[in-house]
Short mmCIF file of all heavy atoms in Angstrom, two decimals:
data_model
loop_
_atom_site.label_atom_id
_atom_site.label_comp_id
_atom_site.label_asym_id
_atom_site.label_seq_id
_atom_site.Cartn_x
_atom_site.Cartn_y
_atom_site.Cartn_z
N PHE D 59 136.81 122.71 79.38
CA PHE D 59 136.79 122.31 77.99
C PHE D 59 137.63 123.27 77.18
O PHE D 59 137.60 124.47 77.42
CB PHE D 59 135.37 122.26 77.46
CG PHE D 59 134.52 121.24 78.19
CD1 PHE D 59 133.63 121.63 79.17
CD2 PHE D 59 134.64 119.91 77.89
CE1 PHE D 59 132.86 120.70 79.84
CE2 PHE D 59 133.87 118.97 78.55
CZ PHE D 59 132.98 119.36 79.53
N GLU D 60 138.32 122.74 76.22
CA GLU D 60 139.22 123.57 75.43
C GLU D 60 138.59 124.12 74.16
O GLU D 60 139.16 124.99 73.54
CB GLU D 60 140.48 122.79 75.08
CG GLU D 60 141.30 122.44 76.32
CD GLU D 60 142.57 121.73 75.96
OE1 GLU D 60 143.03 121.84 74.82
OE2 GLU D 60 143.11 121.06 76.85
N GLN D 61 137.44 123.62 73.78
CA GLN D 61 136.80 124.10 72.56
C GLN D 61 135.30 124.27 72.79
O GLN D 61 134.74 123.71 73.71
CB GLN D 61 137.07 123.16 71.39
CG GLN D 61 136.59 121.73 71.59
CD GLN D 61 136.97 120.85 70.41
OE1 GLN D 61 137.07 121.30 69.29
NE2 GLN D 61 137.18 119.57 70.68
N SER D 62 134.71 125.06 71.91
CA SER D 62 133.27 125.32 72.04
C SER D 62 132.49 124.06 71.66
O SER D 62 133.00 123.20 70.94
CB SER D 62 132.86 126.46 71.12
OG SER D 62 132.91 126.05 69.76
N PRO D 63 131.25 123.97 72.14
CA PRO D 63 130.43 122.82 71.75
C PRO D 63 130.27 122.71 70.23
O PRO D 63 130.32 121.60 69.68
CB PRO D 63 129.09 123.09 72.43
CG PRO D 63 129.43 123.95 73.60
CD PRO D 63 130.58 124.80 73.14
N GLN D 64 130.09 123.84 69.55
CA GLN D 64 129.92 123.80 68.09
C GLN D 64 131.18 123.27 67.41
O GLN D 64 131.09 122.47 66.48
CB GLN D 64 129.57 125.19 67.55
CG GLN D 64 129.26 125.20 66.06
CD GLN D 64 128.09 124.30 65.70
OE1 GLN D 64 127.09 124.26 66.41
NE2 GLN D 64 128.19 123.58 64.61
N ALA D 65 132.34 123.69 67.89
CA ALA D 65 133.60 123.21 67.31
C ALA D 65 133.74 121.70 67.54
O ALA D 65 134.16 120.96 66.65
CB ALA D 65 134.78 123.95 67.90
N TYR D 66 133.39 121.25 68.74
CA TYR D 66 133.45 119.83 69.04
C TYR D 66 132.54 119.03 68.11
O TYR D 66 132.92 118.00 67.56
CB TYR D 66 133.07 119.56 70.50
CG TYR D 66 132.85 118.09 70.77
CD1 TYR D 66 133.92 117.23 70.95
CD2 TYR D 66 131.56 117.56 70.79
CE1 TYR D 66 133.72 115.87 71.17
CE2 TYR D 66 131.36 116.21 71.01
CZ TYR D 66 132.43 115.38 71.20
OH TYR D 66 132.23 114.03 71.39
N LEU D 67 131.29 119.50 67.95
CA LEU D 67 130.33 118.78 67.12
C LEU D 67 130.77 118.76 65.66
O LEU D 67 130.61 117.75 64.97
CB LEU D 67 128.94 119.40 67.26
CG LEU D 67 128.29 119.19 68.62
CD1 LEU D 67 126.99 119.99 68.71
CD2 LEU D 67 128.04 117.72 68.91
N THR D 68 131.33 119.86 65.18
CA THR D 68 131.82 119.91 63.80
C THR D 68 132.97 118.93 63.61
O THR D 68 133.02 118.19 62.62
CB THR D 68 132.27 121.34 63.44
OG1 THR D 68 131.15 122.21 63.57
CG2 THR D 68 132.80 121.42 62.02
N GLU D 69 133.88 118.89 64.57
CA GLU D 69 135.01 117.97 64.51
C GLU D 69 134.53 116.51 64.58
O GLU D 69 135.01 115.65 63.84
CB GLU D 69 135.96 118.26 65.67
CG GLU D 69 137.20 117.39 65.68
CD GLU D 69 138.08 117.73 66.86
OE1 GLU D 69 138.53 118.89 66.95
OE2 GLU D 69 138.31 116.83 67.70
N ARG D 70 133.58 116.24 65.46
CA ARG D 70 133.03 114.90 65.60
C ARG D 70 132.36 114.45 64.31
O ARG D 70 132.54 113.31 63.86
CB ARG D 70 132.02 114.87 66.75
CG ARG D 70 131.40 113.51 66.98
CD ARG D 70 130.43 113.57 68.17
NE ARG D 70 129.91 112.27 68.49
CZ ARG D 70 128.86 111.71 67.90
NH1 ARG D 70 128.21 112.36 66.96
NH2 ARG D 70 128.45 110.51 68.25
N ARG D 71 131.58 115.35 63.70
CA ARG D 71 130.90 115.02 62.45
C ARG D 71 131.91 114.68 61.37
O ARG D 71 131.76 113.71 60.63
CB ARG D 71 130.02 116.20 62.03
CG ARG D 71 129.31 115.97 60.72
CD ARG D 71 128.33 117.06 60.41
NE ARG D 71 128.96 118.35 60.24
CZ ARG D 71 128.29 119.49 60.18
NH1 ARG D 71 126.98 119.51 60.29
NH2 ARG D 71 128.91 120.62 60.01
N ALA D 72 132.99 115.47 61.28
CA ALA D 72 134.02 115.21 60.27
C ALA D 72 134.70 113.87 60.53
O ALA D 72 134.94 113.10 59.59
CB ALA D 72 135.03 116.35 60.27
N ARG D 73 135.01 113.59 61.78
CA ARG D 73 135.69 112.35 62.13
C ARG D 73 134.82 111.13 61.83
O ARG D 73 135.26 110.17 61.20
CB ARG D 73 136.08 112.38 63.62
CG ARG D 73 136.90 111.19 64.07
CD ARG D 73 137.28 111.27 65.54
NE ARG D 73 136.11 111.16 66.41
CZ ARG D 73 135.59 112.14 67.14
NH1 ARG D 73 136.15 113.35 67.13
NH2 ARG D 73 134.55 111.95 67.90
N LEU D 74 133.56 111.17 62.28
CA LEU D 74 132.65 110.04 62.02
C LEU D 74 132.34 109.91 60.53
O LEU D 74 132.24 108.79 60.01
CB LEU D 74 131.36 110.21 62.81
CG LEU D 74 131.47 110.05 64.33
CD1 LEU D 74 130.14 110.39 64.98
CD2 LEU D 74 131.92 108.66 64.69
N GLY D 75 132.17 111.04 59.86
CA GLY D 75 131.89 111.00 58.42
C GLY D 75 133.03 110.36 57.65
O GLY D 75 132.81 109.53 56.77
N LYS D 76 134.24 110.74 58.00
CA LYS D 76 135.41 110.17 57.32
C LYS D 76 135.48 108.66 57.57
O LYS D 76 135.73 107.89 56.65
CB LYS D 76 136.68 110.84 57.82
CG LYS D 76 137.92 110.36 57.12
CD LYS D 76 139.14 111.11 57.59
CE LYS D 76 140.38 110.62 56.85
NZ LYS D 76 141.58 111.31 57.30
N ALA D 77 135.22 108.25 58.81
CA ALA D 77 135.27 106.83 59.14
C ALA D 77 134.22 106.03 58.37
O ALA D 77 134.44 104.85 58.07
CB ALA D 77 135.06 106.63 60.65
N ARG D 78 133.10 106.66 58.04
CA ARG D 78 132.02 105.96 57.33
C ARG D 78 132.00 106.29 55.83
O ARG D 78 131.08 105.89 55.13
CB ARG D 78 130.69 106.34 57.96
CG ARG D 78 130.57 105.76 59.35
CD ARG D 78 129.16 105.86 59.86
NE ARG D 78 129.01 105.14 61.10
CZ ARG D 78 128.99 105.72 62.30
NH1 ARG D 78 129.09 107.02 62.42
NH2 ARG D 78 128.84 105.00 63.38
N GLY D 79 132.98 107.04 55.36
CA GLY D 79 133.06 107.36 53.94
C GLY D 79 132.03 108.38 53.48
O GLY D 79 131.64 108.39 52.32
N ILE D 80 131.59 109.26 54.39
CA ILE D 80 130.60 110.29 54.04
C ILE D 80 131.35 111.57 53.72
O ILE D 80 132.09 112.11 54.54
CB ILE D 80 129.63 110.53 55.22
CG1 ILE D 80 128.85 109.25 55.53
CG2 ILE D 80 128.70 111.69 54.92
CD1 ILE D 80 128.03 109.32 56.80
N ASP D 81 131.17 112.06 52.50
CA ASP D 81 131.79 113.30 52.05
C ASP D 81 130.89 114.47 52.44
O ASP D 81 129.72 114.51 52.08
CB ASP D 81 132.01 113.25 50.54
CG ASP D 81 132.81 114.42 50.02
OD1 ASP D 81 133.17 115.33 50.80
OD2 ASP D 81 133.10 114.43 48.80
N VAL D 82 131.44 115.44 53.16
CA VAL D 82 130.67 116.57 53.68
C VAL D 82 130.08 117.44 52.56
O VAL D 82 128.94 117.88 52.66
CB VAL D 82 131.57 117.43 54.60
CG1 VAL D 82 130.90 118.71 55.00
CG2 VAL D 82 131.99 116.64 55.82
N THR D 83 130.82 117.66 51.50
CA THR D 83 130.39 118.57 50.43
C THR D 83 129.07 118.15 49.80
O THR D 83 128.14 118.95 49.70
CB THR D 83 131.49 118.73 49.37
OG1 THR D 83 132.68 119.19 50.03
CG2 THR D 83 131.09 119.73 48.31
N PRO D 84 128.90 116.89 49.36
CA PRO D 84 127.61 116.50 48.78
C PRO D 84 126.47 116.52 49.79
O PRO D 84 125.33 116.81 49.44
CB PRO D 84 127.82 115.10 48.23
CG PRO D 84 129.24 114.77 48.39
CD PRO D 84 129.90 115.84 49.19
N VAL D 85 126.78 116.22 51.06
CA VAL D 85 125.73 116.26 52.08
C VAL D 85 125.24 117.68 52.24
O VAL D 85 124.03 117.95 52.24
CB VAL D 85 126.23 115.69 53.43
CG1 VAL D 85 125.23 115.97 54.54
CG2 VAL D 85 126.51 114.21 53.31
N ASP D 86 126.16 118.64 52.34
CA ASP D 86 125.77 120.05 52.46
C ASP D 86 124.98 120.51 51.23
O ASP D 86 124.02 121.25 51.34
CB ASP D 86 127.00 120.93 52.67
CG ASP D 86 127.58 120.79 54.07
OD1 ASP D 86 126.86 120.37 55.00
OD2 ASP D 86 128.77 121.12 54.24
N ALA D 87 125.37 120.02 50.05
CA ALA D 87 124.66 120.38 48.82
C ALA D 87 123.23 119.82 48.84
O ALA D 87 122.27 120.51 48.46
CB ALA D 87 125.41 119.86 47.59
N GLN D 88 123.06 118.59 49.31
CA GLN D 88 121.71 118.00 49.38
C GLN D 88 120.84 118.73 50.38
O GLN D 88 119.64 118.90 50.15
CB GLN D 88 121.78 116.52 49.75
CG GLN D 88 121.89 115.62 48.53
CD GLN D 88 121.60 114.18 48.90
OE1 GLN D 88 122.46 113.49 49.41
NE2 GLN D 88 120.39 113.73 48.63
N ILE D 89 121.43 119.18 51.47
CA ILE D 89 120.66 119.94 52.46
C ILE D 89 120.21 121.27 51.85
O ILE D 89 119.08 121.70 52.06
CB ILE D 89 121.47 120.14 53.75
CG1 ILE D 89 121.61 118.79 54.46
CG2 ILE D 89 120.83 121.17 54.66
CD1 ILE D 89 122.55 118.79 55.64
N ALA D 90 121.08 121.91 51.09
CA ALA D 90 120.71 123.16 50.43
C ALA D 90 119.59 122.92 49.41
O ALA D 90 118.64 123.71 49.32
CB ALA D 90 121.93 123.77 49.74
N GLU D 91 119.66 121.82 48.66
CA GLU D 91 118.61 121.47 47.71
C GLU D 91 117.30 121.18 48.43
O GLU D 91 116.22 121.49 47.93
CB GLU D 91 119.01 120.24 46.89
CG GLU D 91 120.11 120.49 45.90
CD GLU D 91 120.57 119.21 45.22
OE1 GLU D 91 119.84 118.19 45.27
OE2 GLU D 91 121.66 119.22 44.63
N ARG D 92 117.39 120.59 49.60
CA ARG D 92 116.21 120.24 50.39
C ARG D 92 115.47 121.49 50.85
O ARG D 92 114.24 121.48 50.99
CB ARG D 92 116.66 119.42 51.60
CG ARG D 92 115.55 118.96 52.49
CD ARG D 92 116.14 118.06 53.59
NE ARG D 92 115.10 117.66 54.52
CZ ARG D 92 114.84 118.28 55.65
NH1 ARG D 92 115.55 119.33 56.00
NH2 ARG D 92 113.86 117.87 56.43
N ALA D 93 116.19 122.56 51.08
CA ALA D 93 115.56 123.80 51.56
C ALA D 93 114.61 124.38 50.51
O ALA D 93 113.59 124.97 50.87
CB ALA D 93 116.63 124.82 51.93
N ALA D 94 114.92 124.21 49.24
CA ALA D 94 114.09 124.79 48.17
C ALA D 94 112.66 124.23 48.17
O ALA D 94 111.71 125.02 48.22
CB ALA D 94 114.75 124.59 46.82
N PRO D 95 112.45 122.92 48.15
CA PRO D 95 111.07 122.43 48.15
C PRO D 95 110.35 122.67 49.48
O PRO D 95 109.14 122.77 49.54
CB PRO D 95 111.18 120.95 47.87
CG PRO D 95 112.58 120.58 48.06
CD PRO D 95 113.40 121.83 47.94
N ARG D 96 111.12 122.78 50.57
CA ARG D 96 110.50 122.99 51.87
C ARG D 96 109.97 124.42 52.03
O ARG D 96 109.02 124.64 52.77
CB ARG D 96 111.50 122.69 52.99
CG ARG D 96 111.73 121.22 53.20
CD ARG D 96 112.78 120.97 54.25
NE ARG D 96 112.50 121.69 55.49
CZ ARG D 96 111.84 121.20 56.52
NH1 ARG D 96 111.38 119.97 56.46
NH2 ARG D 96 111.65 121.90 57.60
N ALA D 97 110.61 125.37 51.36
CA ALA D 97 110.22 126.78 51.53
C ALA D 97 108.73 127.00 51.22
O ALA D 97 108.03 127.61 52.02
CB ALA D 97 111.11 127.67 50.68
N PRO D 98 108.22 126.52 50.08
CA PRO D 98 106.79 126.69 49.81
C PRO D 98 105.95 125.53 50.37
O PRO D 98 104.89 125.21 49.84
CB PRO D 98 106.71 126.74 48.29
CG PRO D 98 107.85 125.87 47.85
CD PRO D 98 108.93 126.07 48.88
N LYS D 99 106.46 124.90 51.41
CA LYS D 99 105.78 123.77 52.07
C LYS D 99 105.65 122.55 51.16
O LYS D 99 104.67 121.83 51.20
CB LYS D 99 104.43 124.19 52.64
CG LYS D 99 104.58 125.24 53.71
CD LYS D 99 103.31 125.47 54.45
CE LYS D 99 103.58 126.52 55.52
NZ LYS D 99 102.50 126.72 56.42
N GLY D 100 106.68 122.33 50.36
CA GLY D 100 106.75 121.14 49.52
C GLY D 100 107.42 120.03 50.30
O GLY D 100 108.54 119.63 50.02
N TRP D 101 106.74 119.56 51.33
CA TRP D 101 107.33 118.61 52.27
C TRP D 101 107.76 117.30 51.62
O TRP D 101 108.73 116.67 52.07
CB TRP D 101 106.35 118.32 53.40
CG TRP D 101 105.84 119.55 54.08
CD1 TRP D 101 104.53 119.94 54.16
CD2 TRP D 101 106.58 120.57 54.75
NE1 TRP D 101 104.43 121.13 54.84
CE2 TRP D 101 105.67 121.54 55.21
CE3 TRP D 101 107.93 120.76 55.00
CZ2 TRP D 101 106.07 122.67 55.90
CZ3 TRP D 101 108.33 121.89 55.70
CH2 TRP D 101 107.41 122.82 56.15
N GLU D 102 107.06 116.87 50.57
CA GLU D 102 107.39 115.58 49.95
C GLU D 102 108.83 115.57 49.43
O GLU D 102 109.56 114.60 49.62
CB GLU D 102 106.42 115.23 48.82
CG GLU D 102 104.98 115.07 49.25
CD GLU D 102 104.24 116.40 49.39
OE1 GLU D 102 104.69 117.42 48.83
OE2 GLU D 102 103.23 116.42 50.09
N GLY D 103 109.22 116.65 48.76
CA GLY D 103 110.59 116.72 48.24
C GLY D 103 111.61 116.72 49.35
O GLY D 103 112.65 116.07 49.28
N GLY D 104 111.33 117.46 50.41
CA GLY D 104 112.22 117.50 51.55
C GLY D 104 112.30 116.16 52.25
O GLY D 104 113.37 115.74 52.71
N ASP D 105 111.18 115.47 52.34
CA ASP D 105 111.16 114.15 52.99
C ASP D 105 111.95 113.13 52.19
O ASP D 105 112.65 112.28 52.75
CB ASP D 105 109.72 113.67 53.19
CG ASP D 105 108.98 114.45 54.25
OD1 ASP D 105 109.64 115.16 55.05
OD2 ASP D 105 107.74 114.36 54.28
N GLU D 106 111.84 113.19 50.87
CA GLU D 106 112.60 112.27 50.02
C GLU D 106 114.10 112.51 50.20
O GLU D 106 114.88 111.56 50.30
CB GLU D 106 112.20 112.44 48.55
CG GLU D 106 112.92 111.50 47.62
CD GLU D 106 112.70 110.02 47.93
OE1 GLU D 106 111.60 109.66 48.40
OE2 GLU D 106 113.63 109.23 47.72
N ASN D 107 114.48 113.77 50.26
CA ASN D 107 115.88 114.11 50.47
C ASN D 107 116.36 113.59 51.82
O ASN D 107 117.46 113.06 51.94
CB ASN D 107 116.04 115.64 50.37
CG ASN D 107 117.46 116.06 50.27
OD1 ASN D 107 118.12 116.17 51.28
ND2 ASN D 107 117.92 116.30 49.06
N ARG D 108 115.54 113.72 52.84
CA ARG D 108 115.88 113.22 54.19
C ARG D 108 116.12 111.71 54.13
O ARG D 108 117.06 111.20 54.74
CB ARG D 108 114.77 113.54 55.16
CG ARG D 108 115.04 113.04 56.57
CD ARG D 108 113.86 113.29 57.51
NE ARG D 108 113.68 114.67 57.84
CZ ARG D 108 114.29 115.31 58.85
NH1 ARG D 108 115.12 114.65 59.63
NH2 ARG D 108 114.06 116.58 59.08
N LYS D 109 115.28 110.98 53.40
CA LYS D 109 115.43 109.53 53.28
C LYS D 109 116.74 109.16 52.60
O LYS D 109 117.42 108.21 53.00
CB LYS D 109 114.26 108.93 52.51
CG LYS D 109 112.96 108.94 53.27
CD LYS D 109 111.83 108.40 52.40
CE LYS D 109 110.48 108.59 53.06
NZ LYS D 109 109.37 108.21 52.18
N GLN D 110 117.09 109.90 51.55
CA GLN D 110 118.34 109.64 50.84
C GLN D 110 119.54 109.84 51.75
O GLN D 110 120.47 109.05 51.76
CB GLN D 110 118.45 110.54 49.61
CG GLN D 110 117.46 110.21 48.53
CD GLN D 110 117.46 111.25 47.41
OE1 GLN D 110 118.16 112.26 47.49
NE2 GLN D 110 116.67 111.01 46.38
N LEU D 111 119.50 110.92 52.51
CA LEU D 111 120.61 111.20 53.43
C LEU D 111 120.65 110.17 54.56
O LEU D 111 121.74 109.75 54.97
CB LEU D 111 120.50 112.62 53.97
CG LEU D 111 120.79 113.71 52.94
CD1 LEU D 111 120.39 115.07 53.48
CD2 LEU D 111 122.26 113.70 52.54
N ALA D 112 119.51 109.76 55.05
CA ALA D 112 119.46 108.74 56.11
C ALA D 112 120.09 107.43 55.63
O ALA D 112 120.76 106.74 56.40
CB ALA D 112 118.03 108.52 56.57
N ALA D 113 119.88 107.11 54.36
CA ALA D 113 120.47 105.89 53.80
C ALA D 113 122.00 105.96 53.80
O ALA D 113 122.67 104.93 53.84
CB ALA D 113 119.95 105.66 52.39
N LEU D 114 122.55 107.18 53.78
CA LEU D 114 124.00 107.36 53.85
C LEU D 114 124.51 107.36 55.28
O LEU D 114 125.71 107.39 55.52
CB LEU D 114 124.39 108.69 53.19
CG LEU D 114 124.14 108.84 51.71
CD1 LEU D 114 124.44 110.26 51.26
CD2 LEU D 114 124.97 107.85 50.92
N GLY D 115 123.58 107.41 56.25
CA GLY D 115 123.98 107.47 57.65
C GLY D 115 124.00 108.88 58.20
O GLY D 115 124.70 109.16 59.16
N VAL D 116 123.23 109.77 57.57
CA VAL D 116 123.18 111.18 57.98
C VAL D 116 121.83 111.46 58.62
O VAL D 116 120.79 111.15 58.06
CB VAL D 116 123.39 112.11 56.75
CG1 VAL D 116 123.18 113.55 57.12
CG2 VAL D 116 124.77 111.89 56.16
N ALA D 117 121.87 112.07 59.80
CA ALA D 117 120.65 112.48 60.50
C ALA D 117 120.50 114.00 60.37
O ALA D 117 121.46 114.74 60.59
CB ALA D 117 120.72 112.11 61.97
N LEU D 118 119.32 114.45 59.95
CA LEU D 118 119.06 115.89 59.81
C LEU D 118 118.39 116.42 61.06
O LEU D 118 117.58 115.73 61.69
CB LEU D 118 118.17 116.14 58.59
CG LEU D 118 118.75 115.73 57.24
CD1 LEU D 118 117.77 116.06 56.13
CD2 LEU D 118 120.09 116.39 56.99
N HIS D 119 118.72 117.66 61.39
CA HIS D 119 118.16 118.32 62.56
C HIS D 119 117.64 119.69 62.11
O HIS D 119 118.42 120.60 61.87
CB HIS D 119 119.22 118.49 63.65
CG HIS D 119 119.98 117.23 63.93
ND1 HIS D 119 119.43 116.17 64.61
CD2 HIS D 119 121.24 116.86 63.58
CE1 HIS D 119 120.34 115.20 64.69
NE2 HIS D 119 121.43 115.59 64.07
N ASP D 120 116.32 119.80 61.96
CA ASP D 120 115.70 121.05 61.53
C ASP D 120 115.47 121.94 62.74
O ASP D 120 115.00 121.47 63.78
CB ASP D 120 114.37 120.77 60.81
CG ASP D 120 114.57 120.02 59.51
OD1 ASP D 120 115.54 120.33 58.80
OD2 ASP D 120 113.76 119.13 59.21
N GLY D 121 115.75 123.21 62.58
CA GLY D 121 115.54 124.17 63.66
C GLY D 121 115.18 125.52 63.10
O GLY D 121 115.13 125.71 61.88
N SER D 122 114.96 126.46 63.97
CA SER D 122 114.54 127.80 63.54
C SER D 122 115.61 128.50 62.72
O SER D 122 115.31 129.36 61.90
CB SER D 122 114.17 128.64 64.75
OG SER D 122 115.28 128.77 65.61
N SER D 123 116.88 128.12 62.91
CA SER D 123 117.95 128.77 62.15
C SER D 123 118.35 127.96 60.92
O SER D 123 119.34 128.28 60.26
CB SER D 123 119.17 128.97 63.06
OG SER D 123 119.65 127.73 63.51
N GLY D 124 117.61 126.91 60.60
CA GLY D 124 117.91 126.12 59.41
C GLY D 124 118.12 124.66 59.77
O GLY D 124 117.70 124.20 60.82
N THR D 125 118.78 123.95 58.88
CA THR D 125 119.01 122.51 59.06
C THR D 125 120.47 122.25 59.33
O THR D 125 121.34 122.75 58.62
CB THR D 125 118.58 121.74 57.81
OG1 THR D 125 117.19 122.01 57.57
CG2 THR D 125 118.77 120.25 57.97
N ASP D 126 120.74 121.46 60.33
CA ASP D 126 122.08 120.98 60.63
C ASP D 126 122.05 119.46 60.47
O ASP D 126 120.98 118.88 60.31
CB ASP D 126 122.48 121.37 62.05
CG ASP D 126 123.98 121.26 62.30
OD1 ASP D 126 124.75 121.05 61.33
OD2 ASP D 126 124.40 121.37 63.46
N TRP D 127 123.18 118.83 60.49
CA TRP D 127 123.19 117.38 60.34
C TRP D 127 124.31 116.77 61.18
O TRP D 127 125.24 117.45 61.60
CB TRP D 127 123.34 116.98 58.88
CG TRP D 127 124.63 117.38 58.22
CD1 TRP D 127 124.95 118.59 57.68
CD2 TRP D 127 125.77 116.56 58.01
NE1 TRP D 127 126.21 118.57 57.16
CE2 TRP D 127 126.74 117.32 57.34
CE3 TRP D 127 126.08 115.24 58.32
CZ2 TRP D 127 127.98 116.83 56.98
CZ3 TRP D 127 127.32 114.74 57.96
CH2 TRP D 127 128.24 115.54 57.29
N SER D 128 124.16 115.48 61.40
CA SER D 128 125.18 114.72 62.11
C SER D 128 125.24 113.33 61.50
O SER D 128 124.34 112.90 60.78
CB SER D 128 124.85 114.63 63.61
OG SER D 128 123.64 113.94 63.80
N VAL D 129 126.33 112.64 61.79
CA VAL D 129 126.48 111.26 61.37
C VAL D 129 125.77 110.40 62.40
O VAL D 129 125.96 110.57 63.61
CB VAL D 129 127.97 110.87 61.27
CG1 VAL D 129 128.13 109.41 60.90
CG2 VAL D 129 128.68 111.77 60.25
N GLN D 130 124.92 109.50 61.93
CA GLN D 130 124.18 108.64 62.84
C GLN D 130 125.14 107.69 63.56
O GLN D 130 126.04 107.16 62.95
CB GLN D 130 123.12 107.83 62.10
CG GLN D 130 122.04 108.68 61.49
CD GLN D 130 121.08 107.86 60.63
OE1 GLN D 130 121.33 106.74 60.29
NE2 GLN D 130 119.97 108.49 60.28
N ASP D 131 124.91 107.52 64.84
CA ASP D 131 125.74 106.58 65.64
C ASP D 131 125.29 105.17 65.40
O ASP D 131 124.22 104.86 65.08
CB ASP D 131 125.63 106.91 67.11
CG ASP D 131 126.34 108.22 67.44
OD1 ASP D 131 127.28 108.58 66.73
OD2 ASP D 131 125.91 108.86 68.41
#
């Protein structure tokens, strides 16, 4: 392989996002906003944000190092 898995996934996300008209900047901003209500266990706000992003075709992936996202296939 010529590139790292992370580089491949980032490139794939950009390619699929562009094909579906998803702008990366607002998605990243919504994920950052989602972190605020989740910090004090305000799950409802985070869940609403997840639903909004899902409607755009964005899947969120929560992990120990934070939230990442991908374009839904």
Side-chain angles (χ1 to χ4, degrees):
F59 298 101
E60 295 183 21
Q61 60 183 330
S62 71
Q64 185 59 41
Y66 168 79
L67 291 173
T68 300
E69 182 181 300
R70 180 179 185 275
R71 178 173 63 191
R73 185 179 67 250
L74 290 174
K76 183 177 181 181
R78 292 193 172 101
I80 298 171
D81 188 356
V82 172
T83 304
V85 170
D86 287 338
Q88 270 194 279
I89 290 171
E91 289 174 17
R92 181 175 177 265
R96 285 177 51 93
K99 297 191 179 188
W101 307 120
E102 298 82 19
D105 289 344
E106 181 59 33
N107 193 276
R108 179 184 289 273
K109 289 177 189 174
Q110 291 172 356
L111 289 168
L114 295 174
V116 173
L118 298 181
H119 311 286
D120 294 321
S122 60
S123 62
T125 301
D126 196 9
W127 64 277
S128 63
V129 177
Q130 296 174 347
D131 290 332

